[in-house]
Amino acid sequence: MVYGSVENVASMEIFIAWLLAPISGADTHTISYEHQWHARFMTLSWGVIIPLGILIARYFKITRGQNWPLQLDNKFWWKTHLVLQIGGSVLSLWALSYVMDWGFGNERLAVSLHEVIGWSLVLLSLSQMIGGAFRGTKGEIPPNGLVLETTYSRPGDHYEMTRRRCLFEYLHKMGGYLALALACSNILIGLGISDAPRWMWLTIVGYWALLMAVSCILQRQGRCVDTYQAIYGPGPALPGNQRRPIGWGIRRYEANEWPPDRHHRP
């Protein structure tokens, strides 16, 4: 029994040593102070915070327990998305400050690619925030979203789905998913450049796998609801409901079709 316990402890020590070892199999993992904090903050912002903000914005426009369409414009997703995306972007700029006057020490292709993608992400994040500021006005919310009144004092860009609003949605969504793809790729490139320990690779990839699994489940449950319907309701006479949703995999519902779980919709 004692022999078995000693064997288990030895196996655990070997496993922990394997996790702590660099991915290359080298004996040591040493990087500069600036590189450490640059990597930590960039991974936290672009690898953890911002992907979570995208998932919440896509699948939680109508929350469980919300009596939609009698209860419209649930701002949980918008406030959470705003805080996470701006917070993650600011954190990434802070991370950038650690390497502004510091080089990687060589000009390998991976390093150059990492820098090009990194600066592209900076520009994309800034364009997302600037674009959000110029997305236009919101407009009125019809009562229960079921009846379209003849006139509104503040129709707004979003309510009317003006060209300005449509352009914003196309650019914002495409830019967001492009940034996410580039960020994930650059994080992996950065881990490779720094020869990061195996546990770091497993942790971040495992987190992404978890988000992807949750996303697949929510998508299959029909939780990716059209933003316009979530805010203004399902009334067929509403301007935004007379055009196709902007984006992929987005669902629209009649008033009696929510929640989708009740109808077992795929």
Side-chain angles (χ1 to χ4, degrees):
M1 200 71 172
V2 174
Y3 176 75
S5 299
V6 172
E7 199 174 47
N8 290 337
V9 171
S11 298
M12 181 61 67
E13 289 178 346
I14 292 172
F15 179 65
I16 292 175
W18 181 85
L19 288 175
L20 296 176
I23 192 70
S24 67
D27 295 331
T28 59
H29 168 68
T30 304
I31 58 175
S32 70
Y33 170 86
E34 292 87 355
H35 191 180
Q36 289 178 23
W37 286 104
H38 170 77
R40 288 167 183 165
F41 287 146
M42 279 297 188
T43 301
L44 179 60
S45 61
W46 283 104
V48 178
I49 297 175
I50 289 176
L52 180 61
I54 292 175
L55 184 142
I56 290 174
R58 182 172 174 83
Y59 295 109
F60 290 89
K61 290 187 173 72
I62 300 176
T63 58
R64 293 185 183 275
Q66 178 184 341
N67 188 17
W68 184 88
L70 296 180
Q71 295 174 323
L72 296 171
D73 197 17
N74 186 337
K75 291 184 173 58
F76 164 77
W77 73 271
W78 187 79
K79 292 179 179 178
T80 306
H81 180 68
L82 192 68
V83 169
L84 292 177
Q85 305 316 90
I86 292 180
S89 297
V90 171
L91 186 60
S92 70
L93 293 176
W94 188 9
L96 185 64
S97 69
Y98 283 94
V99 294
M100 287 295 292
D101 299 319
W102 171 76
F104 285 94
N106 57 60
E107 291 300 328
R108 286 183 292 151
L109 177 61
V111 174
S112 300
L113 182 61
H114 185 74
E115 292 174 345
V116 169
I117 295 177
W119 282 109
S120 299
L121 286 171
V122 171
L123 294 176
L124 272 172
S125 64
L126 290 176
S127 67
Q128 290 288 83
M129 289 188 285
I130 294 172
F134 289 95
R135 67 188 182 277
T137 56
K138 183 177 179 179
E140 296 285 350
I141 300 176
N144 301 332
L146 301 177
V147 180
L148 177 65
E149 299 291 344
T150 55
T151 59
Y152 282 96
S153 58
R154 295 184 298 109
D157 291 286
H158 195 181
Y159 177 76
E160 295 287 349
M161 286 304 287
T162 62
R163 181 178 299 179
R164 175 178 181 173
R165 177 69 196 194
C166 291
L167 180 62
F168 161 74
E169 291 202 13
Y170 277 116
L171 294 177
H172 189 72
K173 292 179 180 181
M174 288 190 297
Y177 289 122
L178 174 60
L180 180 62
L182 289 176
C184 292
S185 301
N186 218 30
I187 287 172
L188 296 180
I189 292 173
L191 290 174
I193 293 171
S194 59
D195 197 17
R198 294 185 177 99
W199 72 265
M200 293 184 182
W201 294 81
L202 293 174
T203 300
I204 192 61
V205 172
Y207 176 74
W208 293 342
L210 175 63
L211 290 187
M212 288 180 64
V214 171
S215 179
C216 289
I217 292 171
L218 294 174
Q219 184 70 38
R220 185 170 180 80
Q221 290 178 348
R223 294 280 167 177
C224 183
V225 182
D226 181 22
T227 307
Y228 192 91
Q229 278 202 325
I231 293 176
Y232 299 106
L238 300 179
N241 289 334
Q242 297 180 33
R243 57 172 297 133
R244 293 180 60 183
I246 297 174
W248 60 275
I250 297 174
R251 295 287 189 86
R252 278 187 174 161
Y253 294 94
E254 300 294 335
N256 62 352
E257 292 179 326
W258 188 265
D261 315 61
R262 184 178 60 195
H263 300 276
H264 305 287
R265 296 180 61 160

